[in-house]
Amino acid sequence: MKRRTLLLAGATGAGALVVGWLAVPQRSRLGSPGLLPVRNGEVALNGWIKVGADGAIVLAMPRSEMGQGVYTALPMLAAEELDVPLASVRVERAGNDTIYGNVATVLAGLPFHPLDDEREDGFGRAKAARWVVGKIGRELGINATGGSTSVVDAWEVVRTAAATARASLLGAAALQWKLPVDELKVRNGVVSHASGPSAHYGELARFAAATPPGTVRLKAREDWSLIGKPAPRLDLPAKVDGTARFGVDVRPPGLKFAAVRLCPMLGGAPGRVDASVASKMPGVERLVMLPAYGGSTAGFAVIAKTSWHAMRAAAAVDVQWEQRPAGPLDSARIEQQLEAAVRSGDGYAFHSSGDVDAAERRASRTIEAWYRAPFLAHATMEPMNCTARVADGKVEVWAPTQVPLMARDIAARVAGVPAEAVTVHVPLLGGGFGRRLEVDYVGVAVRVAMDAGGAPVQLLWPREEDTTHDFYRPMHVVRLRAAVEDAQVASLRIDSAGDAITPRWFQRAMPPLAGPVDLPDKTTSEGLFDLPYAFPNQRMAHTATRSGVPVGFWRSVGHSHNAFFSESFIDELAGAMQVDPVEYRRGLLRHAPRYRAVLDLAARRAGWGTPLPAARARGVALHESFGTIVAQVAEVSIDAGGPRVHRVVCALDCGTVVNPTIVAQQMESAVVFALTAALHGRIDIKDGQVQQRNFPDYRMLLAAQAPHVETWTVASERPPAGVGEPGVPPLAPAVANALFALTGKRLRSLPLNLAAADA
């Protein structure tokens, strides 16, 4: 086969070269020991694992810790295969090699229905596409923390790296002691033999580095002692005692501070600037004009002695701001344009089965509803910040980022130096939610540091700048239509419109890879085109728009609003068919037992159908995202302040559970995050300006308003799926459906507002 491939490559040119490349096995991600710097007696055994002189394990960590638990989950994978206590594993930032790229996040962009693999026999279309795209992903080596893929991507590679290291360590002991390797035992990082010899990993590491691992076998599931069991988070003690270091905690010697002030009109720019008053204020050093980096809006920054001095001086600068050349943005006008785009019927069909047109012609009646979702900001607890130093042709950056290599690249472009001249440090992130997949704040910080005389500068976004210059979750409008024939829903047609995120993100973050043509973006229609329900005729299409508003990834991306549309409409159909909402869904899931099992578990644990206190109701929603199926039942009442959610029962099938405690934490976090958006979240734009500026008018859920959250998992032997985001999508429809059960009013727009309900 290899010989024929070479012949084809030589004879037919580029096309055959591609065929030949595809025939080559996927590149190993194990990596060489030379990728890891060693110090203090450490020994690297491959590109992921080092062993300390005391036997402690160091794991190369390519992902960012932003509260989702990767600094614990990934060490658990390594500790399991190495048979060491979790506490003896620490993480160290990985380098820039492609082995650390997140292949899973590349694969997640494929627009396949989640049931495609189950429908295919053998190596079908979906599996073939994943193999090819996975191969491309390994070559690209895009290092990103997002899409709930950190554990998914690490599942095979980290366990294999640890198992390979363990095999070499055991092999080294067997050679030294002249004993059969299969007679050796490992416990807590100590290799021993019944005849007496024993040594910890640190004593064997140097010999192991020169010992081939031989046959490497991953542990059998029944032999696991860590995976699947609760384990304390390794990052928790430092966060409790205050020693944890986030981006705003960075303090290199000689640090100066800066605050940014950007044009309040999105896409606009400063015109006349008078800094005479600001320049005379205490502690002020310099004003730096800023072009629009990484898709941001132009403005300026002030360098000063402290952040407070910088923010006060920035506010004192007298500026005549200018609108963007294309005119001011307006969210009300954008919503009208989206509705017109839906009515045009020109969208790209992400999924089509059967004959929807014929079913609609035969229908005895049609059920139609319009749903809407607004722009949303991220509102991370830690405001946007970055520290940078530019001196002697080199750039050093401390960036709380989800994409360190992209941060490196924009820093190099702004400073005009090679990428190799840039060093990026990634501290802990005080929330990411997709906002820190952008690199605008890194470009701005480097530009400011270029005017700081070689001193490091920490650039901070005041909360008002953070809220009014975000990359927002797109506004979407959708029309759902069901045709009823013989008292059954015969077809489902969904047409939606809204900005596509992925093409804009590529243009901002990866200009060399951004093409001139926008390809269909799965994120626009995910949660609509991939429903598990067995309607005989279906068509789901989306019209991708370009409103001009900067849009970006938001926790659970398109699923975050599309689940509200689809699961609310499923409830409408259940009502029209006069069937209980849970039973209606069960009937549509006869061919999808995994979904049905999750739905049944949630309903059972929530006591679906049992009596509730007066003036309370339950609502249900079921949704798959990032490979995880989640069903939620929300228990809701109404008080003087509006809807009140008392209890949320979450059931999920996320494949193999690595750490059940972290899974529960992520479900609880997702419920609070989603409930904040469902009850309060909206960004309005008028005359080009975002109207919400800070938490008083971009409200957060208060601790006293948080519901009791229960998490139940379905046992599974599948590989792990995503956990950080899948708890978000079902929450809004579950609450909306409960409010309908309580009031008879159907809420079809977010945030949920009973005064604007449709009867």
Side-chain angles (χ1 to χ4, degrees):
M1 180 67 186
K2 185 183 292 184
R3 185 176 174 189
R4 185 182 174 195
T5 299
L6 291 172
L7 259 169
L8 286 170
T12 60
L17 283 172
V18 172
V19 174
W21 176 76
L22 289 173
V24 174
Q26 298 201 27
R27 177 184 295 178
S28 169
R29 296 178 63 193
L30 194 60
S32 68
L35 293 174
L36 298 182
V38 294
R39 60 186 71 86
N40 301 324
E42 293 173 339
V43 177
L45 297 182
N46 53 56
W48 294 85
I49 301 293
K50 293 192 296 186
V51 179
D54 59 354
I57 303 299
V58 181
L59 172 66
M61 175 57 67
R63 308 291 170 251
S64 302
E65 176 60 74
M66 49 190 176
Q68 82 280 38
V70 292
Y71 275 23
T72 302
L74 269 59
M76 285 180 71
L77 303 183
E80 182 68 78
E81 292 296 335
L82 281 160
D83 284 302
V84 297
L86 178 59
S88 70
V89 182
R90 66 178 178 86
V91 299
E92 189 175 283
R93 288 301 306 181
N96 300 329
D97 195 86
T98 57
I99 69 165
Y100 306 119
N102 190 337
V103 178
T105 198
V106 178
L107 290 169
L110 289 170
F112 289 116
H113 196 286
L115 294 176
D116 281 350
D117 283 335
E118 296 177 27
R119 294 173 181 143
E120 290 181 348
D121 292 325
F123 197 67
R125 183 174 66 100
K127 292 184 177 70
R130 289 192 179 96
W131 191 91
V132 172
V133 173
K135 197 169 191 303
I136 295 170
R138 290 178 183 231
E139 299 296 330
L140 291 176
I142 298 173
N143 186 350
T145 305
S148 298
T149 56
S150 291
V151 173
V152 177
D153 187 74
W155 177 244
E156 291 292 340
V157 66
V158 170
R159 289 190 304 142
T160 300
T164 303
R166 181 180 187 273
S168 291
L169 289 159
L170 285 169
L175 289 172
Q176 283 186 319
W177 301 335
K178 296 181 174 55
L179 292 168
V181 69
D182 57 2
E183 293 183 8
L184 303 181
K185 305 294 183 184
V186 181
R187 182 176 174 82
N188 293 333
V190 176
V191 181
S192 63
H193 186 266
S195 63
S198 70
H200 64 66
Y201 282 162
E203 296 170 306
L204 298 168
R206 292 202 178 278
F207 198 27
T211 303
T215 302
V216 177
R217 295 185 181 88
L218 296 179
K219 267 191 182 182
R221 183 176 292 265
E222 58 268 23
D223 295 331
W224 290 346
S225 59
L226 268 176
I227 294 176
K229 295 180 174 58
R233 288 182 56 145
L234 298 179
D235 57 335
L236 190 59
K239 290 177 177 177
V240 171
D241 67 21
T243 58
R245 288 292 173 261
F246 294 83
V248 292
D249 299 318
V250 171
R251 291 293 184 273
L255 181 66
K256 299 179 180 181
F257 297 85
V260 68
R261 186 177 168 196
L262 304 178
C263 177
M265 291 88 82
L266 294 173
R272 179 189 58 81
V273 177
D274 181 0
S276 57
V277 173
S279 63
K280 297 174 184 176
M281 295 176 71
V284 174
E285 294 190 11
R286 189 177 183 90
L287 182 142
V288 181
M289 301 305 298
L290 300 171
Y293 289 115
S296 68
T297 295
F300 64 84
V302 173
I303 303 175
K305 181 180 179 181
T306 69
S307 291
W308 175 243
H309 288 98
M311 286 189 285
R312 289 186 66 240
V317 176
D318 183 16
V319 189
Q320 180 178 319
W321 299 106
E322 298 178 351
Q323 284 279 9
R324 69 181 193 135
L329 294 162
D330 183 278
S331 54
R333 186 167 63 249
I334 291 170
E335 184 174 349
Q336 295 171 356
Q337 293 167 348
L338 295 182
E339 182 173 334
V342 169
R343 292 187 186 278
S344 72
D346 293 333
Y348 172 82
F350 280 85
H351 177 69
S352 183
S353 61
D355 191 336
V356 172
D357 292 335
E360 289 178 346
R361 287 193 297 268
R362 296 191 303 267
S364 57
R365 64 172 168 143
T366 300
I367 302 168
E368 181 177 294
W370 288 78
Y371 280 80
R372 292 168 170 81
F375 293 108
L376 286 183
H378 294 86
T380 59
M381 184 56 65
E382 179 189 20
M384 304 311 294
N385 68 90
C386 181
T387 302
R389 174 167 49 210
V390 181
D392 303 322
K394 296 185 180 299
V395 180
E396 193 168 10
V397 170
W398 294 262
T401 177
Q402 295 174 242
V403 281
L405 295 186
M406 296 173 193
R408 179 197 67 173
D409 290 345
I410 194 172
R413 290 197 301 272
V414 171
V417 300
E420 295 74 25
V422 180
T423 301
V424 176
H425 308 281
V426 184
L428 296 171
L429 281 60
F433 314 128
R435 176 61 178 96
R436 288 184 163 95
L437 287 168
E438 307 293 338
V439 292
D440 57 310
Y441 61 104
V442 178
V444 170
V446 171
R447 175 63 191 88
V448 172
M450 291 170 67
D451 279 15
V457 179
Q458 184 173 104
L459 185 66
L460 181 71
W461 266 241
R463 181 62 67 181
E464 291 78 8
E465 295 293 333
D466 194 359
T467 305
T468 57
H469 295 91
D470 203 340
F471 292 84
Y472 304 98
R473 187 189 76 174
M475 173 185 284
H476 273 230
V477 173
V478 60
R479 178 180 61 193
L480 304 100
R481 181 187 298 157
V484 179
E485 182 181 359
D486 298 329
Q488 298 293 325
V489 174
S491 72
L492 177 63
R493 182 193 296 270
I494 304 177
D495 293 290
S496 58
D499 284 10
I501 298 170
T502 306
R504 306 288 80 76
W505 179 77
F506 267 108
Q507 288 176 338
R508 296 190 298 264
M510 302 177 67
L513 291 180
V517 179
D518 285 1
L519 297 175
D521 180 6
K522 172 196 171 185
T523 68
T524 59
S525 192
E526 59 189 8
L528 296 177
F529 82 86
D530 45 7
L531 300 179
Y533 301 116
F535 297 109
N537 304 286
Q538 301 181 30
R539 187 179 189 276
M540 289 77 173
H542 181 85
T543 300
T545 56
R546 297 187 68 167
S547 67
V549 176
V551 295
F553 300 107
W554 192 89
R555 189 175 184 178
S556 76
V557 203
H559 293 285
S560 66
H561 43 79
N562 289 338
F564 169 66
F565 305 151
S566 60
E567 281 298 288
S568 296
F569 193 64
I570 292 295
D571 245 49
E572 293 202 47
L573 297 182
M577 299 297 106
Q578 298 183 336
V579 180
D580 173 84
V582 169
E583 287 306 313
Y584 186 68
R585 287 173 171 83
R586 293 186 84 249
L588 293 170
L589 295 170
R590 288 185 295 270
H591 68 300
R594 289 182 63 224
Y595 292 81
R596 193 165 173 168
V598 173
L599 177 65
D600 287 348
L601 177 59
R604 184 172 68 253
R605 291 295 184 179
W608 186 267
T610 61
L612 279 169
R616 287 195 189 185
R618 296 186 184 98
V620 65
L622 172 73
H623 195 77
E624 186 274 341
S625 62
F626 308 96
T628 291
I629 304 166
V630 180
Q632 292 179 350
V633 176
E635 188 176 311
V636 180
S637 70
I638 300 172
D639 58 24
R644 177 68 187 268
V645 181
H646 300 272
R647 179 189 182 207
V648 176
V649 175
C650 299
L652 68 154
D653 182 344
C654 59
T656 297
V657 173
V658 174
N659 188 331
T661 301
I662 291 179
V663 171
Q665 290 170 349
Q666 287 304 296
M667 289 300 110
E668 294 158 3
S669 161
V671 165
V672 171
F673 188 88
L675 188 54
T676 292
L679 298 183
H680 308 304
R682 66 177 303 120
I683 287 291
D684 299 301
I685 305 168
K686 186 176 180 180
D687 295 327
Q689 299 189 45
V690 172
Q691 300 301 292
Q692 292 79 9
R693 295 179 53 79
N694 207 323
F695 292 135
D697 50 17
Y698 194 74
R699 293 172 59 190
M700 298 287 111
L701 194 73
L702 302 178
Q705 299 168 328
H708 173 70
V709 182
E710 299 173 26
T711 301
W712 303 92
T713 57
V714 174
S716 174
E717 294 190 2
R718 289 169 172 257
V723 170
E725 296 169 275
V728 172
L731 191 280
V735 173
N737 294 337
L739 288 171
F740 175 77
L742 194 61
T743 67
K745 295 180 178 180
R746 184 64 66 182
L747 303 177
R748 297 190 178 100
S749 295
L750 292 172
L752 301 173
N753 181 355
L754 285 167
D758 296 321

